[in-house]
Amino acid sequence: MSKNEKILVLDFGGQYNQLIARRVRDHKVYAEILPYTVPLSKIKKGGYKGIIFTGGPNSVYDETSPHYTPDILSLGIPVLGICYGAQLTAWMAGGEISTAPKGEYGMIELRTAKSSGLLFEGIKRRSTVWMSHDDYISKPPKGFRITAKTDSCPCAAMENAEKKIYAVQFHPEVTHTEFGSELLHNFLYKICGCRGDWVMDDFIDKTVASLREQIGSEKVILGLSGGVDSSVVAALLSKAVGKQLTCVFIDHGLMRKDEGDFVENTFTDLFDMNFVRVNCKDRFLEKLRNVSDPEKKRKIIGKEFYNAFWGEIRKAGATAYFAQGTIYPDCIESGKGNADKIKTHHNRVKMPKDIKFEGIIEPLKDLFKDEVRAVGEKLGLPAELVHRQPFPGPGLGVRIIGSITEEKIRILQDADAVFRDEMAKNGYESQLSQFFAVITDVKTVGVMGDHRTYEYLIVLRAVTTDNFMTADWARIPYDLLAKVSNRITNEVSHVNRVAYDITSKPPATVEWE
Ligand code: XMP
């Protein structure tokens, strides 16, 4: 995969910044996101074929709003401003912005001008777009012409074709905009002159070749969690350097049922590498004994993981390279913050001072999650691993309410396995973003045969979401819930009641702790 062509997505704090970059990449053009605080000199040197200004939550007249030097419009690089980015483009070029008499939210009908220019080429004169704005461009700058409008927005799109500067008030990156994809394609190919060289086909060959060159005959170590990112890095490194790679897998005993064995079998059967599984369930359980405060539990699990992992690395002795599964979203600086504040790289491992490596290897740092999954599939990783749902670092620790005991882990693993089995059998696995069981610290009275029982309450949680910042509870059919409840109470000992969580996020979170 080469990336000679690059588009800059200049981030003004809009919620869709990553989505814009993803959509550009869907058209086989590499997109890079930088915060609006990036200096113009860096943009000049970047070799960009085009620049997209993202939306943002602000009004251009607000002094605290993110702005940029108007010189960016004179670089000769094509520009597409979206939403706040459109207003900013107009404002920088001398146009006027006002608060619209009526804001537009949601799906709105757009009408393009008779001659609507390259950006709208091949797009129907009337179509549906996604709007979300209170301000609008009330007077386009000199040299610009209006190319589309809506009932409430007299300038829903404008262009200065000569300077290749375009702006749209709506969001072409969201799927509700009927011809958003075609519009982006026009911008990339007809206006920026891209040819589309960001293709996944040769990513593996090129990455493997460059890893071989970088690592030479040295050794490399990787912390494998069983998650998608570290698994794909493991597969790539195994292909590149085989036994020079050692993967360390810390099994804290808080994985889902049989998951530790699955990870071990996958990597020892399918790939050439040294695989070290460190079973430290007892050590974790010991530290977690009688601790029920969620934050304390998280901290203990984090600290024990750190100690176990780096302890093992020390045991392994000198290794030149340390690899990790950092992906592109982990590296993006937020457009909202100030320039030197970089988003916390939660995927980047904290390293003790006494351990030094010659270099850090992050082969996935340019890829979005779905691109990582595509690479994983091509490398032959099992679908179960590649399409794995998110799983929290502290594992089942945040799904066991109250103190963590061996018995509660076992009950939860069994109940969760039943839930997952039924969801898979009934085709719900790929439709939902995440689903799992939780074991509460509550025991309730029940009846089994002629006997009174006093056993645990299991809660099922299933959500749909685009980004996990907000989520809705999944409308699973009653019959399926009935089947799961019936199986859990029959097959899992010490459970006599099952409930289904019908709370969205907010106010709840996805996990229970
Ligand atoms: P919440 O519970 O915050 O979860 O609504 C949102 C998403 O994040 C996952 N999650 C975590 N992932 N380490 C992780 O790597 C964690 O400590 C953690 N806590 C929650 C959760 O599973 C959901 O997908």
Side-chain angles (χ1 to χ4, degrees):
M1 178 151 51
S2 56
K3 50 173 177 183
N4 300 323
E5 300 174 335
K6 271 195 300 181
I7 292 289
L8 169 63
V9 175
L10 197 56
D11 180 12
F12 290 97
Q15 57 175 322
Y16 298 128
N17 59 4
Q18 291 195 25
L19 191 58
I20 296 172
R22 278 294 305 116
R23 294 285 181 249
V24 170
R25 291 189 188 192
D26 283 343
H27 290 288
K28 302 189 170 28
V29 178
Y30 184 77
E32 191 165 277
I33 303 171
L34 289 178
Y36 70 92
T37 43
V38 65
L40 190 67
S41 55
K42 188 167 171 191
I43 295 181
K44 276 187 194 162
K45 282 189 227 140
Y48 298 107
K49 300 280 282 183
I51 302 173
I52 298 178
F53 298 164
T54 74
N58 317 67
S59 165
V60 288
Y61 287 113
D62 182 345
E63 277 185 22
T64 59
S65 290
H67 289 125
Y68 207 80
T69 166
D71 295 346
I72 193 169
L73 300 179
S74 309
L75 295 178
I77 305 174
V79 167
L80 172 64
I82 295 176
C83 194
Y84 174 80
Q87 294 164 17
L88 190 69
T89 307
W91 190 71
M92 287 194 291
E96 283 174 21
I97 312 301
S98 321
T99 302
K102 190 167 156 244
E104 288 178 304
Y105 289 90
M107 311 235 258
I108 305 282
E109 189 188 68
L110 182 84
R111 296 185 304 278
T112 58
K114 210 164 187 183
S115 152
S116 52
L118 280 181
L119 194 64
F120 290 96
E121 203 171 80
I123 294 176
K124 269 195 328 195
R125 293 276 315 272
R126 280 169 188 263
S127 68
T128 304
V129 295
W130 182 258
M131 286 283 200
S132 176
H133 68 109
D134 285 319
D135 283 5
Y136 66 7
I137 302 168
S138 42
K139 188 167 167 218
K142 238 172 103 190
F144 282 75
R145 69 181 188 100
I146 294 174
T147 51
K149 54 175 74 171
T150 71
D151 282 347
S152 310
C153 187
C155 177
M158 62 171 200
E159 67 166 29
N160 180 332
E162 198 190 324
K163 291 192 164 167
K164 298 193 176 181
I165 299 173
Y166 296 80
V168 291
Q169 182 58 63
F170 56 89
H171 289 272
E173 70 279 19
V174 305
T175 48
H176 303 299
T177 295
E178 207 180 339
F179 293 102
S181 175
E182 285 80 352
L183 186 143
L184 284 176
H185 189 273
N186 285 344
F187 179 67
L188 299 171
Y189 286 78
K190 293 179 181 154
I191 295 163
C192 302
C194 294
R195 295 176 319 278
D197 64 3
W198 179 249
V199 280
M200 302 303 287
D201 291 351
D202 56 357
F203 175 84
I204 294 173
D205 291 344
K206 284 194 171 151
T207 307
V208 165
S210 85
L211 285 171
R212 274 190 194 135
E213 195 182 330
Q214 182 183 3
I215 298 165
S217 56
E218 302 281 4
K219 286 185 177 164
V220 53
I221 204 148
L222 168 74
L224 190 68
S225 67
V228 184
D229 308 337
S230 62
S231 297
V232 172
V233 175
L236 273 171
L237 279 166
S238 148
K239 202 168 158 70
V241 297
K243 285 256 172 344
Q244 287 162 250
L245 166 69
T246 299
C247 284
V248 176
F249 170 52
I250 303 291
D251 187 349
H252 48 29
L254 296 165
M255 309 278 285
R256 287 172 286 207
K257 190 175 184 180
D258 300 330
E259 200 167 21
D261 295 342
F262 170 70
V263 172
E264 178 172 353
N265 294 339
T266 301
F267 286 95
T268 48
D269 291 353
L270 294 183
F271 297 99
D272 185 30
M273 63 169 72
N274 298 304
F275 185 91
V276 180
R277 175 173 175 178
V278 190
N279 289 315
C280 19
K281 183 177 180 181
D282 294 345
R283 169 176 172 170
F284 275 77
L285 275 180
E286 180 55 36
K287 296 276 178 194
L288 287 164
R289 191 200 302 261
N290 297 327
V291 181
S292 51
D293 178 73
E295 270 317 293
K296 279 194 188 134
K297 287 199 292 192
R298 273 180 181 269
K299 286 215 171 89
I300 291 171
I301 296 170
K303 188 171 166 214
E304 274 317 295
F305 193 91
Y306 178 91
N307 291 341
F309 181 70
W310 291 108
E312 200 58 33
I313 303 285
R314 281 191 194 94
K315 263 198 239 161
T319 305
Y321 291 99
F322 180 72
Q324 51 185 343
T326 318
I327 65 170
Y328 191 59
D330 303 325
C331 308
I332 302 171
E333 298 172 40
S334 162
K336 289 179 205 162
N338 70 43
D340 10 84
K341 238 199 218 151
I342 297 177
K343 191 180 149 193
T344 316
H345 293 177
H346 65 266
N347 256 358
R348 285 185 169 152
V349 181
K350 226 173 102 197
M351 234 175 246
K353 287 206 177 76
D354 64 307
I355 297 184
K356 298 265 183 297
F357 294 99
E358 216 164 275
I360 306 289
I361 292 175
E362 297 177 311
L364 307 178
K365 70 176 180 351
D366 287 334
L367 304 192
F368 280 106
K369 194 79 166 190
D370 46 355
E371 292 171 321
V372 173
R373 291 192 212 276
V375 172
E377 270 172 2
K378 277 189 198 281
L379 284 163
L381 282 168
E384 214 175 326
L385 240 173
V386 172
H387 295 285
R388 198 175 185 264
Q389 292 180 8
F391 189 61
L396 299 184
V398 293
R399 295 177 185 170
I400 296 174
I401 313 307
S403 62
I404 299 174
T405 62
E406 194 137 19
E407 183 191 44
K408 279 163 99 180
I409 297 176
R410 198 268 312 151
I411 295 172
L412 177 58
Q413 283 178 333
D414 287 348
D416 185 67
V418 169
F419 188 25
R420 282 193 292 138
D421 180 48
E422 285 300 328
M423 294 295 269
K425 276 190 198 149
N426 288 280
Y428 278 85
E429 202 167 37
S430 54
Q431 288 181 37
L432 302 183
S433 310
Q434 199 173 6
F435 54 86
F436 52 85
V438 173
I439 183 164
T440 66
D441 209 19
V442 171
K443 285 192 169 184
T444 72
V445 174
V447 55
M448 221 168 251
D450 291 333
H451 300 286
R452 173 190 189 274
T453 59
Y454 190 58
E455 303 285 17
Y456 281 109
L457 163 69
I458 287 283
V459 176
L460 306 175
R461 178 76 162 142
V463 295
T464 52
T465 173
D466 285 334
N467 52 19
F468 291 95
M469 305 292 282
T470 59
D472 197 8
W473 60 277
R475 280 22 174 206
I476 298 175
Y478 284 170
D479 287 350
L480 179 53
L481 287 171
K483 180 89 195 284
V484 176
S485 162
N486 193 273
R487 275 193 59 192
I488 290 177
T489 46
N490 275 292
E491 294 172 28
V492 183
S493 50
H494 302 299
V495 177
N496 66 358
R497 195 177 293 266
V498 177
Y500 186 51
D501 182 348
I502 53 165
T503 333
S504 59
K505 173 184 177 177
T509 52
V510 175
E511 302 289 348
W512 269 43
E513 284 196 342

